[in-house]
Amino acid sequence: MTENKYPLVSYILLALLIIIWGVSWPIYKHGVQFMPPLLFAGIRSFIAGTLLFLFAWKLRHHIRFKKHWKLYVISAILNNVLYLGLQTVGMIYLPGGLFSVLVYIQPVILGILS
């Protein structure tokens, strides 16, 4: 087991992640009022994917896309198209706070049921 040399930095980054993630739900709820939910989810995923691509570019040789492209496509369909797309559609029908609780209680329920 490795020792964390910078525990304060880890806690600050974790708190920042939680704050950004929590603030994003009201923004998403507001955004689906101006465009269809699947288009909104697609644009959101495209922007995030572009940023991730820029960060991952220097690790491109480790990704081995030609060998694992089928797994990447399946992952993209299941995670981005179905999960994020349907999640954004669901935001139309529920308040943002309640919806975020329902979405992120899923891993807890899955852990309990497994």
Side-chain angles (χ1 to χ4, degrees):
M1 184 177 223
T2 61
E3 183 180 326
N4 187 355
K5 295 180 182 180
Y6 306 102
L8 182 61
V9 173
S10 297
Y11 290 131
I12 290 171
L13 290 173
L14 180 61
L16 184 64
L17 173 68
I18 291 168
I19 290 168
I20 291 172
W21 211 334
V23 169
S24 67
W25 286 100
I27 294 170
Y28 298 159
K29 181 72 174 173
H30 185 69
V32 294
Q33 296 175 7
F34 298 102
M35 67 179 67
L38 292 178
L39 177 62
F40 184 75
I43 291 172
R44 177 176 101 182
S45 295
F46 178 77
I47 292 169
T50 302
L51 292 173
L52 183 60
F53 176 80
L54 294 174
F55 284 117
W57 180 252
K58 59 183 159 183
L59 301 174
R60 66 188 177 274
H61 302 293
H62 299 287
I63 295 173
R64 297 188 306 203
F65 187 78
K66 288 181 182 180
K67 181 179 180 183
H68 300 295
W69 71 270
K70 290 179 185 177
L71 297 173
Y72 294 135
V73 169
I74 291 169
S75 176
I77 291 170
L78 292 176
N79 187 43
N80 287 334
V81 176
L82 292 178
Y83 179 72
L84 294 177
L86 294 175
Q87 177 177 300
T88 308
V89 170
M91 260 191 275
I92 293 174
Y93 302 106
L94 292 173
L98 175 62
F99 192 77
S100 65
V101 169
L102 289 174
V103 167
Y104 289 106
I105 196 81
Q106 290 177 13
V108 175
I109 293 171
L110 181 65
I112 291 170
L113 293 176
S114 68

